[in-house]
Amino acid sequence: MDWSVGFVSVGVGYEGRGGRARCVRKAVETIDVAILGASGYTGAELLRMLAVHPNAKIAAMTADRSAGKPIGEVFPQYGFGSQFARSLPDLVKVAEVEDWSKYDLIFCCLPHATTQEIISGIPLEKTKVVDLSADFRLSNIDTYTAWYGEHKAPNLQKEAVYGLVEHKRDEVRDARLVANPGCYPTAAQLALIPLLKNKSISSSDIIIDAKSGATGAGRSAKVGTLFCEVSDGMHAYGIAQHRHAPEIEQGLSEVTGEDVLVNFTPHLIPMNRGILETIFVKTSESPGALRQQLVEVCRGLVPLHTSGSTFVRFWEMSKKACMPAFKHRRTRTNRSFTFFRKVYPRTRDTFVAPTIVS
């Protein structure tokens, strides 16, 4: 069963056309899917994607605070009379799921630090799990403890595969437990890994200036994400202490074989969804290296490292082209990447990579 194609949120499987999603893989078999934490934004987005997937059958959905309700009462867009909406089971509590082995694939969309104990009770020899929280992203237990607290399933961590599908497709295909990457780390790693692998850029002095919409903070009510707090403004947060920093550094260190530290600063902007990262790096060439050399490197490397990845788009900048913006997204299921060389008066070896994730 090649379940790495189309099911992992950073994987492939369907492509936007005219604002709608269409499957790009031939249906082979039906897979019974369970979604834990279906009442959050992550669960809603997952439902939207699985709704057009020919292989997925939603067999169970949990949401403890909304147990007993149909999903249409939580998200009205799923309350209309479509065949997909009518096929969805009512929400139940996690404790009410009696036999995990009935499901071929389980998505965990639960808050951080709540998934480890639940997955410990799931027979992974009979089913596969994709965890969309941060519970299994950091492979080093000590690093996890420093950033998130006690790890409650260290034995499972040993076999968890970091699910950046564009670079770990084979590992994901064979895994029983996949840790879905975070939002900021996805954008950063997909932009930087090809260039670091080719030794085209320096692994030091990497600066990631990131902007994110408010849904990344989750659906629970928080003062910091209220409309009046977010609207008409922008602010940095988590400076030098955001939990996605060690995740980015883990991926880049794995590629380079050395400890990589990044200067990562996220900002909250008045937008529902999406991420824009402007990444500044130093080239490994001598100062003043020709722009065209780097363009050729990117033109050859990025498609190579993302081949077969429907969600990734490479956009080469020109002098007349506009800067990437969220309004340029063809659909909300794609990531687009732009690489270009920006020459500054005193930093002629600076390379800039704007990256958009939706």
Side-chain angles (χ1 to χ4, degrees):
M1 181 190 302
D2 183 3
W3 66 283
S4 70
V5 178
F7 279 108
V8 182
S9 71
V10 295
V12 298
Y14 31 112
E15 179 179 8
R17 294 292 186 189
R20 300 184 64 183
R22 70 177 181 87
C23 178
V24 294
R25 298 290 185 184
K26 184 178 179 180
V28 177
E29 58 181 309
T30 299
I31 296 176
D32 287 333
V33 176
I35 301 175
L36 309 188
S39 61
Y41 288 137
T42 303
E45 183 69 6
L46 183 59
L47 269 176
R48 184 184 69 82
M49 300 173 79
L50 293 175
V52 295
H53 201 295
N55 304 102
K57 175 187 175 183
I58 310 299
M61 297 188 296
T62 77
D64 282 11
R65 286 179 293 181
S66 300
K69 297 180 180 179
I71 190 67
E73 289 189 17
V74 180
F75 291 108
Q77 64 265 40
Y78 298 118
F80 300 101
S82 68
Q83 181 178 351
F84 175 74
R86 291 194 300 270
S87 70
L88 294 175
D90 289 345
L91 298 167
V92 298
K93 294 182 178 181
V94 172
E96 295 174 350
V97 180
E98 296 179 352
D99 184 6
W100 295 109
S101 63
K102 295 191 303 183
Y103 310 110
D104 301 301
L105 179 59
I106 299 171
F107 287 98
C108 294
C109 309
L110 300 169
H112 303 318
T114 61
T115 304
Q116 292 163 353
E117 290 183 309
I118 292 175
I119 293 182
S120 295
I122 295 177
L124 294 181
E125 67 276 5
K126 297 182 179 180
T127 188
K128 297 179 183 291
V129 175
V130 177
D131 178 33
L132 286 92
S133 77
D135 281 16
F136 293 96
R137 292 174 187 165
L138 299 178
S139 59
N140 186 289
I141 300 297
D142 292 336
T143 302
Y144 177 91
T145 301
W147 288 89
Y148 290 95
E150 180 187 2
H151 198 299
K152 298 178 181 178
N155 291 332
L156 283 178
Q157 183 63 64
K158 298 176 182 178
E159 69 169 285
V161 171
Y162 189 74
L164 193 64
V165 174
E166 288 82 358
H167 296 286
K168 293 181 177 289
R169 194 174 303 278
D170 291 338
E171 293 94 324
V172 168
R173 181 177 291 114
D174 297 329
R176 299 192 301 175
L177 171 59
V178 174
N180 199 84
C183 50
Y184 289 123
T186 296
Q189 291 178 93
L190 289 180
L192 292 171
I193 284 177
L195 298 173
L196 286 170
K197 277 187 174 180
N198 197 59
K199 302 184 185 302
S200 300
I201 61 174
S202 170
S203 60
S204 61
D205 298 323
I206 296 175
I207 300 173
I208 303 172
D209 180 359
K211 312 291 191 298
S212 173
T215 53
R219 201 181 186 204
S220 299
K222 304 178 184 70
V223 172
T225 54
L226 294 176
F227 175 81
C228 293
E229 301 290 331
V230 177
S231 180
D232 298 324
M234 181 181 78
H235 67 272
Y237 68 98
I239 299 175
Q241 56 183 356
H242 196 283
R243 290 169 167 176
H244 282 179
E247 186 180 339
I248 296 171
E249 292 166 350
Q250 172 183 265
L252 302 187
S253 298
E254 181 180 329
V255 171
T256 62
E258 58 187 32
D259 291 337
V260 176
L261 296 178
V262 298
N263 298 297
F264 170 64
T265 304
H267 301 75
L268 181 64
I269 58 178
M271 186 174 68
N272 287 342
R273 59 183 291 163
I275 285 176
L276 170 63
E277 293 184 10
T278 303
I279 305 173
F280 301 83
V281 295
K282 300 290 187 181
T283 67
S284 57
E285 302 286 341
S286 60
L290 294 176
R291 172 187 181 277
Q292 189 59 34
Q293 289 179 347
L294 285 169
V295 170
E296 291 299 330
V297 168
C298 291
R299 186 182 290 135
L301 278 179
V302 176
L304 174 65
H305 286 274
T306 58
S307 58
S309 300
T310 302
F311 288 157
V312 177
R313 294 290 181 268
F314 173 65
W315 180 16
E316 181 184 331
M317 289 289 293
S318 67
K319 291 183 178 180
K320 297 182 179 180
C322 58
M323 288 292 292
F326 287 103
K327 64 182 180 181
H328 300 147
R329 295 174 296 177
R330 184 173 61 183
T331 72
R332 292 190 173 186
T333 59
N334 286 333
R335 293 190 289 266
S336 62
F337 296 90
T338 304
F339 295 84
F340 72 103
R341 178 75 184 276
K342 179 69 174 178
V343 180
Y344 295 94
R346 295 185 180 179
T347 57
R348 299 181 65 85
D349 58 344
T350 300
F351 190 51
V352 185
T355 304
I356 289 178
V357 174
S358 60

